[in-house]
Amino acid sequence: PRPLTGRATMRIRCPRCLYLLFDYPRPAAGVVVVRGDAALVLRRAHMPRVGHLDIPGGFVDAGESLDGAARRELREETGLRVGRMEWLGFYWDRYFIRVFGYFPTMNFYWLARWKRGTPRAADDAASAEWVPLASLGRPGQRLAWKHMREVYRDVRKRLAGQGPRGRGRRGPDEDGFAP
């Protein structure tokens, strides 16, 4: 994983008791669903980055496993369920919230093959569409997050049999923790 460089950890200090709290990265999880030579892509319905292309996924809830969060987000945003998922990789990025600003995100992805069902945009998605993998992550596309170019590159490599089984570290175990 490539660390975010040049970004200091935000420090939040309580004005009353002077307790110092560090703003740590937020974990997010997603699934790249592939059907033939195409991947399922969403268009964002809400801020930030309305209308940009996105991968089904989102923030991990407290007490939730990483792969459980990826499956939940896929179901909430598209109505789809997938069977076996392969660990794809871990990618750093950042997320913006008005007033608060940017905070770092740790993005965990799996690769799954579509079996059946029609994706229906819901929750954070304005639309769901199948886009040829060869075109994803190319210059000029309005991708929601910088790390998505790396994700699509890694998916293409994996499907061509050239990519490693998981980028960076091995995949998280059943408890959601990377070994």
Side-chain angles (χ1 to χ4, degrees):
R2 194 177 77 234
L4 295 174
T5 56
R7 292 181 182 87
T9 301
M10 180 184 273
R11 298 169 188 222
I12 304 165
R13 186 173 298 276
C14 174
R16 293 180 73 199
C17 71
L18 301 181
Y19 179 78
L20 181 63
L21 176 71
F22 293 90
D23 183 35
Y24 296 110
R26 304 319 195 271
V31 184
V32 177
V33 180
V34 175
R35 180 181 78 179
D37 64 350
L40 179 61
V41 177
L42 308 178
R43 290 215 181 261
R44 292 186 57 82
H46 304 292
M47 293 295 289
R49 311 225 170 111
V50 172
H52 284 64
L53 297 178
D54 204 354
I55 297 169
F59 291 107
V60 178
D61 290 340
E64 187 174 37
S65 69
L66 295 171
D67 64 327
R71 288 178 186 281
R72 174 185 53 77
E73 288 286 346
L74 177 66
R75 191 173 53 255
E76 287 176 359
E77 293 175 344
T78 69
L80 292 181
R81 294 176 189 268
V82 292
R84 188 172 82 71
M85 299 190 308
E86 297 175 36
W87 169 246
L88 181 63
F90 165 75
Y91 306 80
W92 282 105
D93 212 328
R94 63 187 191 153
Y95 192 89
F96 180 79
I97 295 180
R98 193 182 310 173
V99 180
F100 182 78
Y102 288 99
F103 59 84
T105 59
M106 302 166 58
N107 301 277
F108 300 87
Y109 284 99
W110 281 262
L111 177 63
R113 274 125 180 115
W114 174 84
K115 298 284 186 205
R116 63 184 168 280
T118 302
R120 302 199 192 294
D123 195 34
D124 297 333
S127 68
E129 55 199 270
W130 295 102
V131 177
L133 267 168
S135 69
L136 288 170
R138 302 295 186 216
Q141 282 185 324
R142 291 180 34 165
L143 300 178
W145 318 111
K146 274 187 173 182
H147 73 273
M148 289 173 61
R149 291 191 200 294
E150 294 175 66
V151 171
Y152 289 129
R153 180 201 62 212
D154 290 349
V155 168
R156 283 191 294 273
K157 284 182 178 180
R158 173 75 62 82
L159 294 176
Q162 301 167 352
R165 289 285 191 223
R167 186 171 177 274
R169 303 179 70 164
R170 288 191 339 223
D173 63 17
E174 62 276 356
D175 294 325
F177 297 100

